[in-house]
Amino acid sequence: MRKKIVAGNWKMNKTASETTELIDALKNQLNPSDVEVMIAPTFVNLQAAVKQTSDSHIEVIAQNMHQAQSGAYTGEIAADMLKDIGVQTVIIGHSERRAYFGETDAILAEKTKAALDNGLRVVFCFGEELADRQSEKHFELVASQLKNAFFALPSSDWNNIVLAYEPVRAIGTGETASPEQAQQIHYELRAFFASIDENIAQGLQILYGGSMNATNAEALLAQPDIDGGLIGGASLNADDFIKI
Ligand code: 13P
């Protein structure tokens, strides 16, 4: 039985004091449950957030990392720096990283490998643009994003990867894929992995991301192949995130 994951990607939001305040609200109101709860604050607030959540079941995760182990990469953060402060999971391949910071499939393959080699779990994001959906090339596109990132890795590494399908047209726009549309692609993705390794495919947690909120989450999360959500905007508000 796959566990559901509800993960908040805070992106470039919340100062240190706002981070503390939001975590306090989550800790006060979240009841322990079978759901894995993750939050991804900005790098500067990660260490404090890890400490603040140490007595809760909230996992603090990173939004990104660099693929090199260390060195002259001004402004970047390495995997072992994350591990050292108690972070165990990192988001890789978010569409905003691909679009605004030039992260190609080749770079994301290196990042994924570096994260796994350093013992981090990866939440790997991928998804098509609107034009790919309109030309009905969306499955081809997401399959190639996944192939390029993982197929050089031993499939045993896939146990440490959570997938996050985020159709770009749905991110921050208020327009989600319908639950049926999202279920269809999650189903196809699982079948795609099953053609390589049935066991891994059945255990793979595939999250949906893109305008998930307190109103539409129930229908999306009720789909058999949607194993959780990666939530942007609605994760910045304690009441909304708790409802999800
Ligand atoms: P929104 O929930 O704001 O659409 O963002 C989704 C997302 O990008 C999560 O990583």
Side-chain angles (χ1 to χ4, degrees), residues 9 11 94 96 125 166 170-173 209-212 230-234:
N9 176 8
K11 306 190 181 183
H94 194 279
E96 289 147 16
C125 303
E166 301 202 301
I171 296 179
T173 59
S211 298
M212 189 185 274
L230 183 58
I231 297 127

Side-chain angles (χ1 to χ4, degrees), residues 52-204:
Q52 201 189 342
T53 52
S54 61
D55 58 351
S56 77
H57 67 294
I58 300 171
E59 182 185 352
V60 171
I61 71 174
Q63 296 179 16
N64 178 35
M65 56 166 259
H66 195 270
Q67 61 272 35
Q69 200 60 33
S70 62
Y73 300 100
T74 301
E76 292 293 329
I77 309 279
D80 69 346
M81 296 170 188
L82 298 176
K83 287 278 289 189
D84 191 48
I85 59 164
V87 169
Q88 293 170 36
T89 304
V90 59
I91 299 173
I92 288 182
H94 194 279
S95 66
E96 289 147 16
R97 302 287 323 166
R98 294 174 190 258
Y100 307 145
F101 302 96
E103 296 196 357
T104 59
D105 285 355
I107 292 172
L108 297 174
E110 286 181 32
K111 287 193 177 204
T112 304
K113 182 168 183 337
L116 295 170
D117 286 350
N118 281 278
L120 290 166
R121 189 182 186 198
V122 170
V123 176
F124 187 85
C125 303
F126 60 99
E128 81 281 2
E129 307 267 349
L130 181 58
D132 304 311
R133 167 74 61 173
Q134 284 166 338
S135 60
E136 301 199 349
K137 291 248 163 45
H138 54 287
F139 193 78
E140 240 168 82
L141 191 272
V142 298
S144 83
Q145 289 175 331
L146 293 173
K147 274 190 199 154
N148 293 341
F150 306 149
F151 280 27
L153 299 170
S155 57
S156 55
D157 274 352
W158 297 353
N159 292 320
N160 292 319
I161 296 173
V162 171
L163 298 180
Y165 169 61
E166 301 202 301
V168 176
R169 77 202 142 98
I171 296 179
T173 59
E175 283 187 37
T176 37
S178 72
E180 294 72 26
Q181 249 178 359
Q183 163 58 23
Q184 179 62 27
I185 194 145
H186 282 228
Y187 170 83
E188 287 172 33
L189 286 165
R190 200 178 304 288
F192 173 64
F193 279 91
S195 67
I196 300 152
D197 186 320
E198 176 67 32
N199 277 339
I200 287 177
Q202 288 314 320
L204 205 55

Side-chain angles (χ1 to χ4, degrees), residues 24-37:
D24 264 341
L26 296 177
K27 279 173 63 175
N28 287 338
Q29 295 172 61
L30 266 179
N31 295 320
S33 73
D34 286 345
V35 174
E36 286 185 61
V37 179

